[in-house]
Each structure stands twice: as structure tokens, then as C-alpha cells.
Amino acid sequence: MITTIYGKKLGMTQIFAEDDRVLPVTVIQAEPNKVCQVKTAATDGYEAVQIGFGSIKEKKVNKPMAGHFKKQGTAPTRYLREVRVDSASDYKVGDEVTVANFAEAKKVHVSGTSKGKGFAGVMRRYNFAGGPGGHGAHFHRAPGSVGQCATPSRVFKGLKLPGHMGCETVTVKNLDVVRIDEDQNLILVKGAVPGGKNAVVRIRMA
């Protein structure tokens, strides 16, 4: 069974648990993901299935992708992703992955692209403490000393400095599955997940 499904983050809300606790949940709409291609070790060198999701008009698909969908005999989809499996021969083109597959799942890992924050300093980007806030100080929000003296007389790679913040792939692990709505293709998970509204996220069984 494919243990991964892709969907869109609709936003956050809160629901009441059976013991009357208020739970903050993220609502993810995961429409049925269709298998668009099967890759085996004999033909491609590894075992995987290509799944597509999201509707798109045929006239908006470019010619290379239109040829790919035509060759596989499937309807065009907006997004294509690959999922590794143990044995790709167990699946065929046209199979669907729905939220019903996650009915027994207790926890999931959710991956997505975090919101972009633009250029940020070290205090916002890495939670540096900064310097004193008084008027007598001349050191407030700067990163401070970054290099060494004569040896090795350079700044090491990977040093935490100001720069572009956000727009990174983030995975939040072991989120509780609160509710599955098969009629509306919804998965409600406890807590926050990366990305803004309508962001594409990947849900994997923990």
C-alpha cells in the first residue's frame, strides 16, 4: 500500500475532542491521487510510482507533459510526484490513493515549503540574543564576531549570518490524526504544518 498522499493546506481551525478538550487542527484537502506511471527496477533502475493530483485544463498543459500523459493513457494533472515503493509491480496506472488509506493511521509526518520571510537579520533568523538595548551601548542587533585571527584567517562556511529566511522544505513529524472525512477528502491533523494557505504538502504515515 502507498503510504504517502499529497494535498493542499486549507488553513487552521479548532475542534472539540471527545473529552471536551479544544484541539488546534490543520485542515488538509487531499483529493484522490492517481497513479500516472509505474517505474520498476527492470525498466528504470528503481521501484517507484508516479502520482498526479490537482485538476488542470488540457489546453494549459505543455506539449512534453501532454505527450507523457497521452503515452500513459491518463488525464492531465497539475502536479506530479514520485513515491518510492517496495514493489512497483503491485500497482497499475489508474490506481487511486485516497484519505481512506489513512483511516487506521494514528500519526503522520507532514512536509511542505515554509513561508518566505525575505531578508532577515540573525536575531529573527536564528534567535540570536543581540546586545544591550540601552543608549550607552553601540552593539544591538548585529551578529558580532564571526572570524578568527591569523589562523585560519577566514570565515568558516555555514556560519549563521543575515540572509534569506524561509522558502525551505520543512517536515513536522508525528502529528496526531484527529479526523478523516472521506466524503470531502479532508485530513485533520493536530498542530501546525509548514506553508501558507493552498500550499502543497506531503503526508506520510509515521
Side-chain angles (χ1 to χ4, degrees):
M1 183 178 70
I2 300 175
T3 59
T4 301
I5 192 171
Y6 288 84
K8 283 189 175 183
K9 173 183 174 179
L10 297 184
M12 292 194 69
T13 184
Q14 60 185 25
I15 62 174
F16 287 94
E18 295 180 356
D19 55 358
D20 292 335
R21 290 183 300 120
V22 177
L23 300 178
V25 296
T26 301
V27 183
I28 302 172
Q29 185 173 38
E31 296 181 357
N33 293 185
K34 294 184 179 180
V35 175
C36 297
Q37 185 181 4
V38 176
K39 296 188 175 185
T40 62
T43 58
D44 300 276
Y46 61 99
E47 301 283 329
V49 293
Q50 187 185 77
I51 58 178
F53 59 100
S55 59
I56 187 174
K57 295 180 180 179
E58 289 188 12
K59 65 180 182 179
K60 291 190 175 182
V61 180
N62 60 29
K63 287 187 177 181
M65 293 309 301
H68 173 71
F69 288 119
K70 184 178 180 181
K71 179 180 179 181
Q72 301 299 328
T74 60
T77 58
R78 184 174 295 274
Y79 305 101
L80 282 177
R81 298 290 189 272
E82 266 191 15
V83 177
R84 290 294 187 102
V85 292
D86 294 331
S87 177
S89 58
D90 296 339
Y91 310 96
K92 62 180 184 298
V93 174
D95 289 349
E96 288 189 347
V97 183
T98 65
V99 295
N101 295 19
F102 290 75
E104 302 299 326
K106 301 297 183 183
K107 294 181 179 292
V108 292
H109 305 323
V110 181
S111 302
T113 303
S114 61
K115 290 182 180 180
K117 304 293 185 181
F119 189 93
V122 291
M123 289 183 67
R124 184 182 185 195
R125 195 179 184 196
Y126 295 114
N127 297 318
F128 278 24
H135 288 250
H138 296 278
F139 176 78
H140 299 294
R141 301 183 67 87
S145 178
V146 296
Q148 293 74 31
C149 191
T151 304
S153 65
R154 65 185 176 89
V155 178
F156 289 123
K157 287 184 178 180
L159 192 70
K160 294 180 179 180
L161 290 172
H164 187 197
M165 181 179 177
C167 287
E168 297 177 334
T169 300
V170 180
T171 300
V172 182
K173 294 186 175 183
N174 296 318
L175 293 176
D176 294 329
V177 178
V178 178
R179 186 177 300 170
I180 300 288
D181 188 338
E182 298 183 19
D183 296 331
Q184 302 185 61
N185 301 311
L186 299 178
I187 299 179
L188 276 64
V189 297
K190 183 180 177 182
V193 303
K197 292 181 180 179
N198 295 320
V200 175
V201 295
R202 178 180 67 169
I203 307 170
R204 294 177 294 140
M205 294 183 188

